[in-house]
Amino acid sequence: MSEHSPARFTPEERNPDHREVDLLLTNISWLVTCDGEMRRFRSGALAIDGSRLHGVGPTDQVKRQFRGRHEMDLSGFLVLPGLINTHTHAAMTCFRGLADDLPLSRWLYEVIFPAEAASVNPEMVYRGTVLACTEMLKNGVTTFCDGYFFEEAAVRAALDCGMRGILGQGVLDFATPDQPDPTRSRERVEAFLDAFPKSTDRLRPSIFCHAPYTCRAETLQWAKGLSKDHGILFQIHLSETAAEVEEILQKHGERPSFYLDRLGILDAQTLCAHAVWLDPGEIELMAVRQARISHTAESNMKLATGVAPVPRILAAGIKVGLGTDGCASNNNLDLFSEMDKVAKLHKVIHRDPVVCPAPRVLAMATRDGAAVLGWDDQIGSLEVGKRADLIAIDCNQPHLTPLYDPASHLVYAVKGSDVRHVWVNGEQVVRDRQLLKVDEAEAIAAVNALAGKIKASAKSRIIS
Ligand SMILES: [Zn+2]
């Protein structure tokens, strides 16, 4: 049974002491909580009322406490928390496959920057983000942390799709599609924060400074100050390439992490994406400051920028989440694929099959992803009191048979396309792989309609 159905109760289950909840998910073949102890239950159940989890445990135990106005039998399914994509630029779905297999500087300066200058506007950001949300939800991602231009349009898209997210307005010290005059970028960010919808607890605002080499010291400082004033996440790309580390060293006489620390940027509400070229001293500094890291393995592999020293970063006690980065450098938003790559990449680099074991990588995509966003009191694991963000995977498939260890399957065998049902904040947003809040065909058609103009804006010799 895959549809919600009105619950039928045995006389015993009509116990008046039962608390009534909106929905009971029962007989879940494997319930993987991703909590601190990585508890998992065979024949598990969840009691969901409103946006929160009220019961988590074995089906017989949960049914002794709760009866649901609706009940769904999930035998044959594996249920886990929704995955958390800690770094992306959602609207860049519009640039998926526009140009590949180029050196980073040519890719950026000859394709991506001209395409952005010609085509990034509120409609493109809205359409691109709706497509991104559609793709992420179907791949089991329920929360994303974004940074781009015209981020108000990304906010609307996330709201329409029913996704949870942190939406960061982008800041650079040169003309951007939504701020031709960089001396006024603070006003731009303040307008974004003022207009941010207060009526939803699914979305939070953020400020996203592009990088230490594209933002001046004063810019980084006012943006971090504003983030602190609003109590919101500050995002930045850090040490993606060896060349930018060299540039910061030349300009400021110190490595990027120490430079940011001198400016007062590094703390527990700063999320650094990439962090590929951290030396041991920087790792120690980041650990002391409790700065957060988004590991973007696939993007770093595709652009050949390097491999972040993740085992060493984890050993230092730094919180690490996983990020896909934008679709132009990945070229998907699938965290199941990302988990598989992360687990294998560090093994081969270290020539050690014990490095980055499956449960550790699964935690990075769930519980630790929530922690790096400062949202782990609400999401990232299936625990009583937390928000009901969860996904159900159909395990009755050849490539998922047999199933000895769910963490192993989730990292090494499950594909995003195995996700059948998705709930965000207690609301079902995907049922039997069908989006319930947005029209998938319309989302695809809208981006296809934009693609012609985007292609024309890129240099023909690159993409012909
Ligand atoms: Zn990025």
Side-chain angles (χ1 to χ4, degrees), residues 187-314:
E187 289 166 52
R188 175 75 189 86
V189 172
E190 285 176 335
F192 168 75
L193 296 176
D194 287 346
F196 201 87
K198 313 280 185 290
S199 56
T200 175
D201 55 6
R202 292 192 200 195
L203 304 182
R204 293 179 175 182
S206 167
I207 302 174
F208 176 61
C209 281
H210 177 264
Y213 64 93
T214 50
C215 296
R216 290 173 303 134
E218 308 88 82
T219 304
L220 296 168
Q221 284 179 310
W222 70 246
K224 180 61 188 175
L226 204 51
S227 302
K228 280 184 179 169
D229 292 347
H230 286 260
I232 59 178
L233 189 72
F234 175 88
Q235 301 178 63
I236 190 162
H237 290 128
L238 176 66
S239 300
E240 180 180 9
T241 65
E244 71 186 72
V245 173
E246 199 50 44
E247 186 182 330
I248 296 290
L249 265 170
Q250 294 286 332
K251 250 195 229 169
H252 304 289
E254 54 198 339
R255 293 181 70 85
S257 306
F258 285 96
Y259 167 63
L260 289 184
D261 189 52
R262 185 160 54 78
L263 301 180
I265 305 297
L266 296 183
D267 62 27
Q269 281 200 295
T270 289
L271 175 57
C272 303
H274 304 308
V276 171
W277 293 94
L278 298 188
D279 75 4
E282 288 180 290
I283 292 174
E284 204 182 314
L285 172 70
M286 301 275 282
V288 169
R289 296 287 181 253
Q290 297 184 306
R292 313 306 200 190
I293 288 177
S294 176
H295 178 37
T296 53
E298 278 195 63
S299 172
N300 301 149
M301 288 162 75
K302 185 160 180 275
L303 293 170
T305 54
V307 180
V310 167
R312 187 173 265 184
I313 289 170
L314 291 172

Side-chain angles (χ1 to χ4, degrees), residues 164-199:
R164 190 183 299 284
I166 292 185
L167 290 310
Q169 171 61 39
V171 177
L172 289 109
D173 270 321
F174 51 79
T176 63
D178 64 348
Q179 185 46 270
D181 177 2
T183 65
R184 300 184 60 192
S185 53
R186 182 176 178 133
E187 289 166 52
R188 175 75 189 86
V189 172
E190 285 176 335
F192 168 75
L193 296 176
D194 287 346
F196 201 87
K198 313 280 185 290
S199 56

Side-chain angles (χ1 to χ4, degrees), residues 87-89 208 237 273-274 325-326:
H87 181 69
T88 192
H89 314 288
F208 176 61
H237 290 128
H274 304 308
D325 212 352

Side-chain angles (χ1 to χ4, degrees), residues 391-413:
I391 61 178
I393 288 158
D394 178 4
C395 291
N396 190 24
Q397 304 187 69
H399 67 284
L400 300 181
T401 304
L403 199 171
Y404 300 115
D405 175 0
S408 162
H409 262 31
L410 288 165
V411 172
Y412 297 120

